[in-house]
Structures are given as C-alpha cells and as structure tokens.
Amino acid sequence: MKQVIVIGGGPAGMMAAISAGSAGHKVLLLEQNEKLGKKLYITGKGRGNFTNSADISDFFDKIIHNPSFLYSALYGFSNRALLSFFEENGLKWKEERGGRIFPLSDHASDITKALTRALHHSQIEIRTDSKVKALITDGSRRVCQVKTSDGEYIACDHVIVATGGLSYPSTGSTGDGLLFARDLGLKVVDPLPALVPLETIEPDIPGMQGLSLKNVSLSVSDNRKILYEGFGELLFTHFGISGPLALSASSHITKRLSGSSTLAGTIDLKPAITTEELDKRLIRQADSMGSRNFSRFFEGILPKKLQPVIIDRSGIDPSSKIAALSKAQRSRILTLLKGFSFTISKTRGFSEAIITQGGVSVKELDPRNMRAKSFEGLSFAGEVIDVDALTGGFNLQIAFSTGYLAGMGV
C-alpha cells in the first residue's frame, strides 16, 4: 500500500483517486475549490455530456492531438466501462443525438454525486479549499512531498496531477499542473484555448446576433489551403460566430490564430443543392415575385436577419424590381449564398473555451500508466496533458480514462 496524493478534484482527479483507492492504496484528494467537480457543473450547458456511445475505436477520429497516446487509456477504461461504473454508483443516463450521453436527470451535478459516492466507498480522504503550491523531490528524481498554500508539507509515495488546463479559470483551472511540470523540467506544449467561439472582423456580422443556421457547411482556410471543413449548426453573435461548427473549427485553427494572422471563413448557406439547382430556384423566385422590390427577394429562402446582409453585399439596389435582375446579378447572389465569406481574427480566449489545447507533452509520459518517464512517484491525468478532442463527450471520457489509468498505474 502506498500513500497517494491526487491534486485536483475534477473528473480526472476523482477517477484517479477512486481507482488508486480500489487498488488498495491510501489516497488523499486535494481540491483548491470549496467543492469537488466545479467545472463538471457547467459541462454540456449544465446537463453534463460525460461520454459518447460510439464504438471506442471511433473515438480516435474525434481526438485532435495525440490520439495514439490514448490507446491504452481508452481501451483500458472504455465508455462501456464508464457507463457500468456510473450505473453501479447510482447514476441513470440517457443517449441523445450524435451518441451523446447525459444523466437522465439532465443535471451535471448528478455526475459529481455518483463520483463522490464512489470516493466515500473507496475510503478516500478529501480536503477541499486546499491548494498545492509545489511538488517536492527528494533531491534525486523522485517526488516525495507536496507543499500546500498554507505552508504544510505532506509526505507521499506518489502524486497524480489532475489540475486541468486553463479553460474557464473561474472554476479553478489556473494552470497549476503546467507550472509543476515546468518547475521539474518537463516539456509543456504551450496551452491555447480550444472549442471556443471565434471573433470576426466584418461589421455586418454583429447585426445577425442570435441567428442560428442549421444544416450549413463551414470551411476555414489560410487562402492557400483548407484548414477545416464541417457541416452542422452555426450561431452568429455580437462578436462573430459560435455554435458547434465554430467550436469544432476552433480546435483545428487555434494555433494559427495565436499570432497576428487572420483566416478566411466561408459558409455554404445551401449545401444540400448544387449551384445550378439553386440558380433555378432563384429564377423561379424571380418569376413569382417580379413586380416586387429586390428588398423582398429572399423571403422564404433565407432567415429574416440574414436577408438585409445578403442584399447589402450583393450591391443590388433594394428598391429595384426583381423582374429586372440580370444574369450577372443572379450570379453574384449565387456566389454569396454558396460562399458567404468573413474574416476570423482571433478566439474568445480561455474564459470562454470549453477545453485547453496543449499541456504536459505526451513524450514525457508512459501511455500505459500515465507515469512521468523521468521522475518516480509522479503521474498526470486529464486536461493537463497535451490531448484534446471535439465536442460530444469525448473530452470527459479522456479525463475519466486517463484518471483511471493513472490511479491503477500507481
């Protein structure tokens, strides 16, 4: 039996403590907040999308960085294993669109309650309002103590760092684990916000605030090659774009936006039909509305908030008659509808990011057990590691899987 300290009471930390305790170790869980699972309370808009029903082999296509590193973790504690764990600890769940798994109650807090029951069952000692300031080594390459903010030194045989990343810092994700790693000389990939809304430059975008577009295509390029392509739902905001498509795009482009460069975004507003088919529809629209002003041309074709933007960008006089539309003008409209363009300038930052990209380099860790290769008595789990995935429950599954493996790997 070893004395194990887990730093961080989020999903990865709680699962690490549970698995280490179930393996027979004495575990102390230290959480700097006043309660466990604070960030869990806001996941899935408060509903708690904690995993996905997809075959575990399909998870790797959803992982943006270092998917192969997670092979042992995801197969060692899969989504099926996670669902069984929660069922055993009193959490009922349901499946929704895209395989997303939520608590049946629609309350993310029920996830924390189930984890807390498991922590008590495993006789884990829990200390909240307890912030760790540093990891202490024995002078060689073995971690033997942690130092808390009140000056206490706590001896241990093993430390699992599960402090999260930098997203939603109000929940306690302040990058402490990255500082611990850097202090020990471990390589840390610079953290960046991911799954985050995007800011745009064009002045007509804010006027569409609140407009949600479903079943559209989004592509982002650097004017040389396409960096992201996706299909789904997009939301216009007072600063730019959000919604599932924008969040997914951000994870592919955040590194490119970390400097001063901008990227080109393009929305196909009618991806289900070809340009030729759309042109025929415009001709039919013109035939049926010929005597009306062009300001009414897009009725029944586009949402109300989008109509004046397209009209303005077309350069066609709103008071002109629809019957007078030329082929060249119709061609301009087609270009706008199949390629509504805008400029992406930056992300909204960590305060609005769902996850953090970057973290402790996977080259520093043994993927079979999450232990640091160059230090004894040290492991990492969860978002503090340089792994990240798309939305849909994949990131929380990674947290639980790496936490479980880190605990068992002690």
Side-chain angles (χ1 to χ4, degrees), residues 173-233:
S173 297
T174 52
D176 291 351
L178 306 180
L179 295 176
F180 300 156
R182 285 191 173 114
D183 287 345
L184 293 173
L186 302 181
K187 181 182 178 182
V188 173
V189 177
D190 289 340
L192 294 168
L195 294 181
V196 60
L198 300 167
E199 294 192 10
T200 58
I201 292 175
E202 285 71 18
D204 55 7
I205 298 292
M208 295 186 287
Q209 179 180 354
L211 172 61
S212 179
L213 299 178
K214 296 182 178 180
N215 302 319
V216 297
S217 294
L218 170 68
S219 66
V220 181
S221 72
D222 61 0
N223 294 318
R224 292 190 302 275
K225 64 178 181 178
I226 294 174
L227 306 174
Y228 171 81
E229 284 183 304
F231 175 85
E233 186 175 347

Side-chain angles (χ1 to χ4, degrees), residues 211 302-309:
L211 172 61
L302 296 174
K304 193 172 182 178
K305 282 189 175 181
L306 185 54
Q307 292 175 27
V309 176

Side-chain angles (χ1 to χ4, degrees), residues 22-42:
S22 67
H25 302 298
K26 186 178 180 182
V27 182
L28 170 63
L29 175 59
L30 301 177
E31 166 56 46
Q32 67 176 341
N33 288 315
E34 74 284 359
K35 61 183 178 181
L36 299 176
K38 197 166 183 179
K39 191 174 179 181
L40 268 173
Y41 285 88
I42 61 174

